[in-house]
Protein backbone atom coordinates (compact mmCIF):
# COMPACT_ATOMS: atom_id res chain seq x y z
CA UNK A 1 0.00 0.00 0.00
CA UNK A 2 2.84 2.36 0.83
CA UNK A 3 4.52 1.55 -2.47
CA UNK A 4 1.33 1.91 -4.51
CA UNK A 5 0.57 5.29 -3.01
CA UNK A 6 3.99 6.89 -2.78
CA UNK A 7 6.52 4.89 -4.80
CA UNK A 8 8.61 4.44 -1.63
CA UNK A 9 10.15 1.03 -1.67
CA UNK A 10 11.32 -0.82 1.43
CA UNK A 11 13.10 -3.98 0.33
CA UNK A 12 13.16 -6.94 2.73
CA UNK A 13 16.47 -5.96 4.31
CA UNK A 14 15.00 -2.56 5.20
CA UNK A 15 11.75 -3.84 6.66
CA UNK A 16 13.13 -3.21 10.13
CA UNK A 17 13.09 0.54 9.35
CA UNK A 18 9.37 0.41 8.63
CA UNK A 19 8.78 -1.69 11.71
CA UNK A 20 10.71 0.72 13.94
CA UNK A 21 8.82 3.69 12.58
CA UNK A 22 5.35 2.15 12.57
CA UNK A 23 5.38 0.24 15.87
CA UNK A 24 4.72 3.39 17.90
CA UNK A 25 1.88 4.50 15.61
CA UNK A 26 0.20 1.09 15.82
CA UNK A 27 0.38 1.30 19.60
CA UNK A 28 -0.57 4.99 20.00
CA UNK A 29 -3.45 4.65 17.52
CA UNK A 30 -4.82 1.72 19.59
CA UNK A 31 -4.70 -0.69 16.66
CA UNK A 32 -3.52 -3.69 18.75
CA UNK A 33 -1.53 -5.26 15.94
CA UNK A 34 -0.36 -4.75 12.36
CA UNK A 35 -3.22 -6.77 10.90
CA UNK A 36 -5.77 -4.42 12.47
CA UNK A 37 -3.75 -1.44 11.29
CA UNK A 38 -3.66 -2.73 7.71
CA UNK A 39 -7.40 -3.37 7.76
CA UNK A 40 -7.96 0.16 8.96
CA UNK A 41 -5.78 1.54 6.15
CA UNK A 42 -7.67 -0.57 3.63
CA UNK A 43 -11.26 -0.06 4.65
CA UNK A 44 -11.87 2.62 7.28
CA UNK A 45 -13.45 5.96 6.42
CA UNK A 46 -10.55 7.61 8.28
CA UNK A 47 -7.89 5.98 6.14
CA UNK A 48 -6.90 9.08 4.17
CA UNK A 49 -6.11 10.89 7.40
CA UNK A 50 -4.23 7.87 8.67
CA UNK A 51 -2.09 7.79 5.54
CA UNK A 52 -1.13 11.39 6.29
CA UNK A 53 0.15 10.27 9.74
CA UNK A 54 1.82 7.29 8.20
CA UNK A 55 3.78 9.36 5.69
CA UNK A 56 4.78 11.80 8.44
CA UNK A 57 6.28 8.87 10.31
CA UNK A 58 7.94 6.79 7.62
CA UNK A 59 9.65 9.47 5.56
CA UNK A 60 13.30 10.39 6.02
CA UNK A 61 13.51 14.17 6.19
CA UNK A 62 17.22 14.94 6.54
CA UNK A 63 18.03 18.28 4.92
CA UNK A 64 19.91 21.52 5.61
CA UNK A 65 20.51 24.96 4.11
CA UNK A 66 22.97 25.18 1.19
CA UNK A 67 23.15 21.40 0.91
CA UNK A 68 25.65 20.31 -1.74
CA UNK A 69 27.26 23.63 -2.59
CA UNK A 70 28.74 22.43 -5.90
CA UNK A 71 25.24 21.75 -7.24
CA UNK A 72 24.05 25.11 -5.97
CA UNK A 73 26.98 26.78 -7.72
CA UNK A 74 25.89 25.06 -10.96
CA UNK A 75 22.40 26.43 -10.32
CA UNK A 76 23.71 29.93 -9.62
CA UNK A 77 26.29 30.10 -12.39
CA UNK A 78 24.54 28.25 -15.24
CA UNK A 79 20.91 27.16 -14.80
CA UNK A 80 19.64 30.38 -13.25
CA UNK A 81 21.42 32.92 -15.52
CA UNK A 82 20.55 30.87 -18.62
CA UNK A 83 16.89 30.73 -17.55
CA UNK A 84 16.80 34.44 -16.74
CA UNK A 85 18.38 35.24 -20.10
CA UNK A 86 15.87 33.08 -21.99
CA UNK A 87 12.93 34.60 -20.14
CA UNK A 88 14.14 38.15 -20.75
CA UNK A 89 14.57 37.36 -24.47
CA UNK A 90 10.92 36.27 -24.51
CA UNK A 91 9.96 39.47 -22.74
CA UNK A 92 8.94 37.57 -19.60
CA UNK A 93 9.96 38.20 -16.00
CA UNK A 94 8.11 35.26 -14.50
CA UNK A 95 10.46 32.73 -12.96
CA UNK A 96 9.16 29.40 -11.65
CA UNK A 97 11.27 27.05 -9.60
CA UNK A 98 10.11 23.90 -7.81
CA UNK A 99 11.71 22.07 -4.92
CA UNK A 100 9.78 18.85 -5.32
CA UNK A 101 10.57 17.05 -2.05
CA UNK A 102 11.39 20.00 0.12
CA UNK A 103 11.17 18.46 3.59
CA UNK A 104 11.34 21.20 6.27
CA UNK A 105 11.93 23.99 3.73
CA UNK A 106 15.70 24.51 3.78
CA UNK A 107 16.00 23.77 0.05
CA UNK A 108 13.35 26.18 -1.32
CA UNK A 109 14.49 28.91 1.08
CA UNK A 110 18.11 28.38 -0.02
CA UNK A 111 16.98 28.74 -3.65
CA UNK A 112 15.05 31.88 -2.73
CA UNK A 113 18.21 33.38 -1.18
CA UNK A 114 20.33 32.55 -4.23
CA UNK A 115 17.74 34.05 -6.58
CA UNK A 116 17.60 37.21 -4.44
CA UNK A 117 21.42 37.42 -4.55
CA UNK A 118 21.56 36.91 -8.26
CA UNK A 119 18.66 39.14 -9.35
CA UNK A 120 19.78 41.88 -7.05
CA UNK A 121 17.89 45.15 -6.52
CA UNK A 122 16.40 47.08 -8.22
CA UNK A 123 15.88 44.38 -10.86
CA UNK A 124 14.64 41.76 -8.34
CA UNK A 125 11.41 43.58 -7.55
CA UNK A 126 10.38 43.66 -11.23
CA UNK A 127 10.36 39.87 -11.32
CA UNK A 128 7.39 37.67 -10.60
CA UNK A 129 9.13 34.87 -8.71
CA UNK A 130 7.47 31.66 -7.58
CA UNK A 131 9.44 29.08 -5.69
CA UNK A 132 7.24 26.08 -4.99
CA UNK A 133 8.15 23.73 -2.19
CA UNK A 134 6.24 20.48 -1.89
CA UNK A 135 6.42 17.28 0.11
CA UNK A 136 4.26 14.25 0.90
CA UNK A 137 4.56 14.84 4.65
CA UNK A 138 2.38 17.45 6.34
CA UNK A 139 4.62 17.36 9.41
CA UNK A 140 7.65 18.72 7.58
CA UNK A 141 5.53 21.25 5.68
CA UNK A 142 4.31 22.79 8.96
CA UNK A 143 7.94 23.26 10.03
CA UNK A 144 8.71 24.78 6.62
CA UNK A 145 5.81 27.21 7.08
CA UNK A 146 7.12 28.24 10.50
CA UNK A 147 10.51 28.91 8.91
CA UNK A 148 12.51 28.74 12.14
CA UNK A 149 15.68 26.71 12.29
CA UNK A 150 18.30 25.52 14.75
CA UNK A 151 22.11 25.75 14.52
CA UNK A 152 22.35 22.35 12.89
CA UNK A 153 20.18 23.36 9.90
CA UNK A 154 22.16 26.53 9.25
CA UNK A 155 25.63 24.98 9.71
CA UNK A 156 26.43 25.45 6.00
CA UNK A 157 25.16 29.04 5.75
CA UNK A 158 27.82 31.74 5.31
CA UNK A 159 27.95 34.51 7.94
CA UNK A 160 26.94 37.01 5.20
CA UNK A 161 23.82 35.03 4.31
CA UNK A 162 22.99 34.47 7.97
CA UNK A 163 22.97 38.22 8.57
CA UNK A 164 21.23 39.10 5.33
CA UNK A 165 18.42 36.54 5.29
CA UNK A 166 17.83 35.36 8.89
CA UNK A 167 16.92 37.06 12.12
CA UNK A 168 17.71 35.47 15.46
CA UNK A 169 14.69 34.79 17.68
CA UNK A 170 14.55 35.22 21.44
CA UNK A 171 14.77 31.42 21.80
CA UNK A 172 17.98 31.22 19.76
CA UNK A 173 16.32 30.01 16.55
CA UNK A 174 17.13 31.43 13.12
CA UNK A 175 13.98 32.78 11.46
CA UNK A 176 13.79 33.28 7.69
CA UNK A 177 13.25 36.94 6.81
CA UNK A 178 9.92 37.80 5.14
CA UNK A 179 11.45 38.79 1.79
CA UNK A 180 12.91 35.27 1.38
CA UNK A 181 9.76 33.62 2.64
CA UNK A 182 7.21 35.49 0.60
CA UNK A 183 8.17 33.98 -2.78
CA UNK A 184 8.04 30.40 -1.42
CA UNK A 185 4.71 28.55 -1.69
CA UNK A 186 4.39 25.31 0.20
CA UNK A 187 1.98 22.47 -0.57
CA UNK A 188 1.44 18.80 0.01
CA UNK A 189 2.18 17.01 -3.25
CA UNK A 190 2.80 13.31 -3.57
CA UNK A 191 5.25 12.86 -6.44
CA UNK A 192 3.54 9.59 -7.23
CA UNK A 193 0.19 11.27 -7.79
CA UNK A 194 -0.02 11.88 -11.56
CA UNK A 195 -3.11 14.05 -11.38
CA UNK A 196 -1.57 16.39 -8.78
CA UNK A 197 1.61 16.66 -10.84
CA UNK A 198 -0.32 17.53 -13.96
CA UNK A 199 -1.23 20.82 -12.23
CA UNK A 200 2.47 21.67 -11.95
CA UNK A 201 3.31 22.90 -15.41
CA UNK A 202 5.72 25.43 -16.87
CA UNK A 203 8.52 25.03 -14.31
CA UNK A 204 11.82 26.59 -15.37
CA UNK A 205 13.93 24.66 -12.90
CA UNK A 206 13.12 21.65 -10.70
CA UNK A 207 15.07 20.36 -7.73
CA UNK A 208 14.19 16.79 -6.83
CA UNK A 209 17.12 15.86 -4.63
CA UNK A 210 17.63 12.99 -2.24
CA UNK A 211 14.23 11.42 -2.64
CA UNK A 212 14.75 9.13 -5.64
CA UNK A 213 16.88 6.92 -3.38
CA UNK A 214 13.69 5.81 -1.62
CA UNK A 215 12.10 4.65 -4.89
CA UNK A 216 12.68 1.56 -6.98
CA UNK A 217 13.37 1.89 -10.72
CA UNK A 218 9.72 1.65 -11.74
CA UNK A 219 8.74 4.49 -9.36
CA UNK A 220 11.73 6.57 -10.43
CA UNK A 221 10.71 6.23 -14.09
CA UNK A 222 7.18 7.32 -13.32
CA UNK A 223 8.22 10.33 -11.20
CA UNK A 224 10.95 11.49 -13.59
CA UNK A 225 8.61 11.29 -16.54
CA UNK A 226 6.06 13.46 -14.68
CA UNK A 227 8.76 15.98 -13.75
CA UNK A 228 9.89 16.07 -17.37
CA UNK A 229 6.34 17.05 -18.34
CA UNK A 230 6.30 19.76 -15.69
CA UNK A 231 9.39 21.47 -17.11
CA UNK A 232 9.40 24.04 -19.88
CA UNK A 233 11.44 23.13 -22.92
CA UNK A 234 15.10 23.92 -22.06
CA UNK A 235 14.25 23.74 -18.34
CA UNK A 236 16.68 22.19 -15.82
CA UNK A 237 16.34 19.27 -13.43
CA UNK A 238 18.62 18.77 -10.42
CA UNK A 239 18.62 15.40 -8.68
CA UNK A 240 20.74 14.43 -5.65
CA UNK A 241 24.48 14.16 -6.35
CA UNK A 242 24.48 10.46 -5.45
CA UNK A 243 21.42 9.82 -7.64
CA UNK A 244 21.41 9.11 -11.37
CA UNK A 245 18.98 8.78 -14.26
CA UNK A 246 21.02 5.96 -15.78
CA UNK A 247 18.49 3.35 -17.00
CA UNK A 248 15.67 5.64 -15.86
CA UNK A 249 15.33 8.26 -18.57
CA UNK A 250 17.05 9.22 -21.81
CA UNK A 251 14.83 12.20 -22.39
CA UNK A 252 17.20 14.80 -20.93
CA UNK A 253 20.38 16.35 -22.24
CA UNK A 254 23.22 16.05 -19.71
CA UNK A 255 24.97 19.30 -18.85
CA UNK A 256 28.30 19.09 -17.07
CA UNK A 257 29.17 22.11 -14.94
CA UNK A 258 32.55 21.58 -13.26
CA UNK A 259 31.76 17.88 -12.85
CA UNK A 260 28.27 18.50 -11.54
CA UNK A 261 25.72 16.83 -13.78
CA UNK A 262 22.45 18.60 -14.41
CA UNK A 263 19.66 17.51 -16.70
CA UNK A 264 18.10 19.74 -19.32
CA UNK A 265 14.82 19.16 -21.16
C1 LIG B 1 15.82 13.38 2.53
S1 LIG B 1 14.52 14.52 2.22
C2 LIG B 1 15.25 15.55 0.97
C3 LIG B 1 15.02 17.02 1.21
C4 LIG B 1 15.73 17.96 0.22
N1 LIG B 1 15.28 17.75 -1.13
C5 LIG B 1 17.23 17.83 0.30
O1 LIG B 1 17.83 17.26 -0.61
O2 LIG B 1 17.81 18.28 1.28
C6 LIG B 1 13.37 13.53 1.31
C7 LIG B 1 11.95 14.08 1.32
O3 LIG B 1 11.19 13.40 0.32
C8 LIG B 1 9.86 13.30 0.78
N2 LIG B 1 9.14 12.26 0.00
C9 LIG B 1 9.28 10.92 0.06
N3 LIG B 1 8.43 10.32 -0.80
C10 LIG B 1 7.75 11.32 -1.43
C11 LIG B 1 6.72 11.35 -2.42
N4 LIG B 1 6.23 10.23 -2.95
N5 LIG B 1 6.24 12.56 -2.80
C12 LIG B 1 6.74 13.71 -2.26
N6 LIG B 1 7.69 13.74 -1.33
C13 LIG B 1 8.19 12.56 -0.91
C14 LIG B 1 10.02 12.99 2.26
O4 LIG B 1 8.87 13.32 3.00
C15 LIG B 1 11.24 13.84 2.63
O5 LIG B 1 10.87 15.06 3.22
Amino acid sequence: MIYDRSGMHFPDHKKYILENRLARRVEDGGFENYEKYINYLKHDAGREKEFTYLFNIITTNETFFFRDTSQLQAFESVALPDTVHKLKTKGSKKLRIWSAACSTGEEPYTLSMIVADRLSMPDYKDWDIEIHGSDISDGVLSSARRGEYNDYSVRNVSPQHLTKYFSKNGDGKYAIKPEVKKVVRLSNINLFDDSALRMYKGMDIIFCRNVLIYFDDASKKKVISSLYNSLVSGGYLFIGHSESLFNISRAFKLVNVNNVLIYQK
Side-chain angles (χ1 to χ4, degrees):
M1 280 191 285
I2 291 168
Y3 178 74
D4 285 348
R5 283 198 171 226
S6 72
M8 272 185 272
H9 179 61
F10 292 85
D12 278 352
H13 68 281
K14 287 197 174 156
K15 253 190 195 156
Y16 74 96
I17 299 181
L18 259 190
E19 219 167 322
N20 283 344
R21 292 181 184 179
L22 284 182
R24 181 116 177 245
R25 178 67 203 149
V26 171
E27 200 182 316
D28 290 354
F31 294 104
E32 285 174 54
N33 56 39
Y34 280 101
E35 206 178 329
K36 296 239 163 78
Y37 189 51
I38 288 169
N39 274 332
Y40 187 90
L41 288 169
K42 273 187 181 157
H43 305 296
D44 198 273
R47 67 181 184 277
E48 290 306 322
K49 197 159 171 222
E50 188 54 38
F51 268 108
T52 311
Y53 282 125
L54 186 143
F55 288 130
N56 286 350
I57 295 165
I58 65 166
T59 48
T60 302
N61 309 118
E62 163 71 5
T63 186
F64 50 93
F65 284 95
F66 290 89
R67 183 176 194 173
D68 201 332
T69 34
S70 50
Q71 281 196 327
L72 296 172
Q73 270 157 14
F75 166 71
E76 185 168 2
S77 65
V78 173
L80 183 59
D82 180 51
T83 304
V84 164
H85 172 75
K86 281 191 291 210
L87 287 170
K88 276 184 173 169
T89 315
K90 280 199 298 186
S92 163
K93 284 203 161 181
K94 189 171 170 75
L95 174 67
R96 300 181 90 196
I97 299 175
W98 182 16
S99 163
C102 72
S103 188
T104 36
E106 285 87 333
E107 186 173 84
Y109 291 136
T110 297
L111 298 175
S112 174
M113 291 173 204
I114 297 174
V115 170
D117 284 344
R118 196 72 208 191
L119 302 178
S120 45
M121 290 296 186
D123 202 25
Y124 179 74
K125 65 174 178 359
D126 296 337
W127 280 81
D128 175 4
I129 298 166
E130 283 177 13
I131 299 179
H132 295 268
S134 65
D135 202 279
I136 197 174
S137 158
D138 274 342
V140 291
L141 288 167
S142 330
S143 305
R145 285 192 185 100
R146 257 196 317 280
E148 293 175 350
Y149 298 92
N150 57 25
D151 295 328
Y152 188 70
S153 280
V154 301
R155 65 191 182 276
N156 227 14
V157 181
S158 69
Q160 293 85 336
H161 277 127
L162 261 190
T163 316
K164 196 168 168 196
Y165 295 126
F166 294 83
S167 46
K168 195 105 186 245
N169 278 347
D171 56 5
K173 292 248 167 97
Y174 293 89
I176 299 283
K177 286 194 177 166
E179 63 266 32
V180 175
K181 218 172 173 187
K182 75 168 191 270
V183 298
V184 175
R185 302 175 181 191
L186 298 160
S187 24
N188 188 315
I189 301 285
N190 175 0
L191 287 170
F192 220 52
D193 179 352
D194 296 337
S195 52
L197 259 70
R198 272 197 283 277
M199 321 264 283
Y200 275 62
K201 287 276 160 231
M203 294 295 157
D204 297 300
I205 300 172
I206 299 178
F207 275 68
C208 184
R209 300 192 301 169
N210 305 306
V211 60
L212 296 176
I213 33 167
Y214 304 110
F215 297 163
D216 68 356
D217 281 1
S219 324
K220 283 182 198 167
K221 282 182 184 159
K222 179 173 159 164
V223 169
I224 292 297
S225 144
S226 305
L227 295 181
Y228 181 86
N229 293 332
S230 294
L231 275 173
V232 295
S233 169
Y236 292 96
L237 171 70
F238 288 77
I239 58 174
H241 81 103
S242 59
E243 296 165 332
S244 142
L245 295 191
F246 181 70
N247 277 343
I248 303 300
S249 169
R250 290 162 159 245
F252 293 89
K253 186 177 114 185
L254 262 181
V255 181
N256 185 328
V257 184
N258 296 327
N259 291 330
V260 170
L261 292 181
I262 49 184
Y263 296 84
Q264 189 173 25
K265 179 167 173 177

